[in-house]
Amino acid sequence: MSHARATHLTRRGLLAAGGALGLGAALAACGDDKGKDGGSGGSAGTSKSGPWSFKDDRGTTVKLDKVPANIVAFTGVGAALYDYGIQVKGVFGPTKTSDGKPDVQAGDMDISKVTVLGNAWGQFNIEKYASLAPDVLITTIFDDAGTLWYVPDESKKKIGQLAPSVGISVYDRQLTQPLQRMWDLAESLGADMKAAKVTDAKKRFEDAAARLRAAAKAKPDIKVLAGSASDQLFYVSGSNLSIDLEYFKSLGVNLVEPPESAKKQGGGWYESLSWENVDKYDADIIMMDDRSQAIQPADITKATWKKLPAVKAGQVIPRSPEPILSYDKCVPLLTNLAEALEKAKKVS
């Protein structure tokens, strides 16, 4: 078995375990292709004309006679493109919460204006996808094998026959790299990258990065732990592989790093701890997975959690393990951590 394939299988296991990505055990089950979610389709809204091509992070170049108008994307990708003025027609991935509200990964998208092909792992309604007459499918990549995120293995061939795909890698690199790749993609699709909204967001991101670097330098002894909660286990993410944590580390943030041996079962992404051992690592700030699939800090009832020094000190903040790749949406990731560091007291 090749290393790439082994990584992919481990990734599926990670999803089933609800590990570093906090997706929960429900993701292990393959969903029903006949999802009930839907909406009215949008369009790319681009004024760009002529042939279109884009080389993705698999090294695959997609060439079309015209700029894609009917775009289908993973929800987080659709949210990023929306911030750049590109409206996708359909999405797949966490889009609606159980009460019908937009999922955190939907960003500012009006989810009533997109067709939802699937709302959970394994769900992808091929019939709905075909009805959208897709020009291109765009999603992220979380491994070194080029596996398209949230495109089900069992139906990927059928899906691939309907439209070419573009993959943006968010694996083992710093946040700034996929941010730039999404910028390039949006620009190729006709987005106005000189618009004040866009350039202002990039400047705010750069300022936020400088603030976080300064905060980390001023508080080098403050330990930051990245965690995710499920009913049975607490997951401690390593600083390698994840785009946000790798970037925070490059800015000087003192991140808790489980040893490689402890992260082995999590494919190198995370260590699984029982709630009885949740205090294994000293931490002054805990960043918790903010997505709907993970148990949120306010809902954690475990006594061992409540006894943690960082929890008792109120030094728990949200983390987005799957950032929406627009500068606008990534600014809070930096400012929230910077503010937490500036205010943090040494409690470990």
Side-chain angles (χ1 to χ4, degrees):
M1 180 180 292
S2 70
H3 169 69
R5 181 62 180 162
T7 300
H8 173 51
L9 290 176
T10 301
R11 190 66 179 169
R12 290 296 295 271
L14 179 152
L15 289 164
L21 293 185
L23 296 182
L27 300 191
C30 291
D32 181 1
D33 277 349
K34 297 180 181 179
K36 296 180 181 179
D37 293 311
S40 56
S43 63
T46 174
S47 59
K48 201 170 182 179
S49 60
W52 180 84
S53 69
F54 187 83
K55 184 176 182 179
D56 76 357
D57 291 337
R58 299 169 298 178
T60 300
T61 300
V62 176
K63 296 182 179 180
L64 299 173
D65 292 337
K66 60 181 180 179
V67 177
N70 296 344
I71 301 170
V72 173
F74 172 70
T75 302
V77 171
L81 292 175
Y82 181 87
D83 286 349
Y84 291 128
I86 303 296
Q87 175 69 53
V88 302
K89 197 167 186 178
V91 295
F92 54 94
T95 308
K96 297 180 181 180
T97 59
S98 58
D99 58 3
K101 295 180 180 179
D103 189 274
V104 65
Q105 294 194 66
D108 292 333
M109 275 196 305
D110 183 346
I111 62 174
S112 70
K113 293 184 178 180
V114 293
T115 297
V116 182
L117 305 177
N119 201 55
W121 183 258
Q123 293 180 355
F124 194 110
N125 191 316
I126 300 176
E127 290 75 20
K128 275 188 181 179
Y129 181 54
S131 73
L132 296 176
D135 294 322
V136 67
L137 178 149
I138 308 173
T139 187
T140 47
I141 297 171
F142 274 93
D143 59 19
D144 57 3
T147 307
L148 297 176
W149 191 233
Y150 267 77
V151 174
D153 278 348
E154 61 273 16
S155 52
K156 64 182 181 182
K157 288 185 179 180
K158 289 183 179 179
I159 293 169
Q161 290 170 353
L162 294 171
S165 59
V166 167
I168 300 297
S169 180
V170 288
Y171 175 74
D172 195 18
R173 61 200 62 203
Q174 294 180 21
L175 177 61
T176 46
Q177 290 175 269
L179 268 175
Q180 183 60 51
R181 293 293 286 145
M182 192 62 70
W183 174 288
D184 295 340
L185 177 60
E187 186 172 35
S188 78
L189 293 169
D192 181 3
M193 309 313 281
K194 294 182 180 179
K197 178 184 176 182
V198 173
T199 57
D200 288 352
K202 189 172 185 180
K203 177 63 165 60
R204 286 189 290 110
F205 178 88
E206 293 166 351
D207 291 344
R211 179 183 175 184
L212 179 54
R213 188 188 296 276
K217 185 176 182 180
K219 299 278 188 75
D221 59 335
I222 296 296
K223 296 180 180 179
V224 180
L225 182 147
S228 184
S230 71
D231 185 55
Q232 299 297 322
L233 296 169
F234 182 81
Y235 307 93
V236 179
S237 294
S239 61
N240 295 323
L241 304 184
S242 296
I243 57 174
D244 61 329
L245 301 184
E246 287 204 14
Y247 187 52
F248 297 157
K249 183 169 62 175
S250 77
L251 295 175
V253 176
N254 184 3
L255 290 163
V256 172
E257 181 68 52
E260 290 302 318
S261 58
K263 295 186 294 181
K264 191 172 182 180
Q265 285 189 326
W269 291 82
Y270 66 91
E271 177 181 4
S272 304
L273 298 175
S274 67
W275 283 102
E276 289 74 18
N277 296 316
V278 73
D279 61 353
K280 179 177 180 179
Y281 297 104
D282 291 334
D284 303 294
I285 295 173
I286 300 177
M287 304 174 65
M288 291 295 289
D289 188 339
D290 68 353
R291 290 165 303 167
S292 56
Q293 298 93 336
I295 299 176
Q296 297 306 301
D299 299 320
I300 299 175
T301 59
K302 309 291 185 182
T304 49
W305 164 261
K306 294 181 178 180
K307 290 179 181 177
L308 292 176
V311 175
K312 293 171 69 175
Q315 295 180 171
V316 178
I317 64 172
R319 175 199 170 209
S320 299
E322 288 185 66
I324 293 173
L325 296 172
S326 71
Y327 286 102
D328 179 71
K329 293 301 179 291
C330 287
V331 169
L333 310 185
L334 305 183
T335 55
N336 288 346
L337 182 52
E339 183 177 3
L341 281 170
E342 290 162 358
K343 294 179 178 179
K345 294 179 180 179
K346 184 69 178 175
V347 295
S348 65

